[in-house]
Amino acid sequence: YTITVTDTTASASDLNTIDSKTSVNVNAGAITDITSSPIADVLTLVGNATTAGIDTNWNVVVSDTVTATQAKTVNSGTSGTIDISASTTLNGATADVLEIVNNTGATFITATDYTTTLSDTAVATDANAILIDTTGIVTATVTADTAANLNTNLGNATATDALTLTVTGTSAAASDLNALDGKTSVVVDAATNVTTITGTAADIKTAVEAAGINTASNVNATVDSGTATVSQANAIDAQTTGEITATISDGSVTTLKTLTGTHAYTVSVT
């Protein structure tokens, strides 16, 4: 049969059925919109684009869950609008998800709250681009970096995201570690590389006591902003066998003699 489709809209299933009825390439160039169709049918149509006779600039609405790889395959078949907003998840490699986020080669319509699990390690800026695109949970292993860089580059992460973070460098600011703790539901690895935590006594105390931050059992603490009370110094001492460097703000002998451990304290008795 020689078949010419004159409609401008059709489902992927119907176009596939027509394609199966003839050994001659169908002329379906008039099709501009593929109505709501399961991803399996759309992928079949894209795979048989030549025999099905569709062009490369049609719009499509996908009715079920898609992966980033599947969306990329559809993208290879059209430069039109690809509506995958019915999919509540969008899992796959970082590069494939970014094609969707960045509307590479087509215009993608996604759910505003889709969740995604990235199958490879993502640099922080790429992970953040995806975090900007959805309010859903992003699960990813982020390339290890300093606490400051991770904190800056993951500006859109929240505590509900499941980001695996490893801090590099031997020193980290407690404020950055605390901020990272608020950007993932996964425990932040600040134990593998970090040997010294710096900052205010309050921030250091928060960091070493936090359940969401793993610090070395012998991490050093340097209070390089402000002073530390005896209470704060003792709380930090309880969390590490490392050296604590701080100027103690309390001047009472009665209070000072309750200091625990032996550290590099600057003390003034008043």
Side-chain angles (χ1 to χ4, degrees):
Y1 298 127
T2 298
I3 300 175
T4 298
V5 177
T6 57
D7 290 339
T8 57
T9 64
S11 70
S13 176
D14 286 345
L15 291 172
N16 289 333
T17 298
I18 293 170
D19 183 31
S20 71
K21 300 297 184 180
T22 178
S23 60
V24 179
N25 290 348
V26 176
N27 180 357
I31 293 293
T32 59
D33 292 276
I34 296 173
T35 55
S36 184
S37 301
I39 186 62
D41 290 343
V42 177
L43 292 175
T44 297
L45 183 63
V46 171
N48 297 328
T50 300
T51 59
I54 57 173
D55 63 18
T56 58
N57 188 30
W58 38 268
N59 307 314
V60 60
V61 176
V62 180
S63 61
D64 54 358
T65 299
V66 302
T67 66
T69 299
Q70 290 171 328
K72 182 177 180 179
T73 299
V74 177
N75 188 7
S76 71
T78 181
S79 57
T81 299
I82 302 172
D83 186 341
I84 52 175
S85 58
S87 184
T88 57
T89 62
L90 193 57
N91 301 327
T94 304
D96 290 347
V97 176
L98 284 174
E99 280 197 17
I100 298 166
V101 170
N102 295 325
N103 291 310
T104 303
T107 300
F108 288 92
I109 299 174
T110 59
T112 59
D113 60 349
Y114 67 85
T115 63
T116 180
T117 298
L118 303 182
S119 60
D120 54 354
T121 299
V123 298
T125 50
D126 284 347
N128 198 61
I130 296 168
L131 288 159
I132 292 172
D133 193 56
T134 180
T135 59
I137 296 173
V138 175
T139 302
T141 297
V142 178
T143 302
D145 205 343
T146 64
N149 286 344
L150 289 172
N151 187 31
T152 297
N153 293 330
L154 293 171
N156 288 83
T158 66
T160 57
D161 292 306
L163 306 178
T164 299
L165 306 176
T166 300
V167 178
T168 63
T170 57
S171 180
S175 57
D176 285 326
L177 294 178
N178 293 333
L180 290 177
D181 187 23
K183 294 182 176 184
T184 179
S185 60
V186 180
V187 175
V188 177
D189 180 2
T192 301
N193 301 301
V194 177
T195 58
T196 301
I197 299 175
T198 63
T200 66
D203 283 345
I204 294 173
K205 177 178 180 292
T206 297
V208 296
E209 290 180 339
I213 305 173
N214 185 22
T215 57
S217 60
N218 62 345
V219 68
N220 300 315
T222 299
V223 179
D224 58 5
S225 178
T227 59
T229 65
V230 168
S231 176
Q232 289 171 328
N234 287 348
I236 297 169
D237 175 65
Q239 300 298 321
T240 180
T241 60
E243 184 172 68
I244 303 171
T245 302
T247 296
I248 303 300
S249 59
D250 294 305
S252 164
V253 170
T254 300
T255 303
L256 289 170
K257 70 180 183 179
T258 62
L259 280 167
T260 57
T262 301
H263 299 285
Y265 291 140
T266 298
V267 176
S268 295
V269 177
T270 58

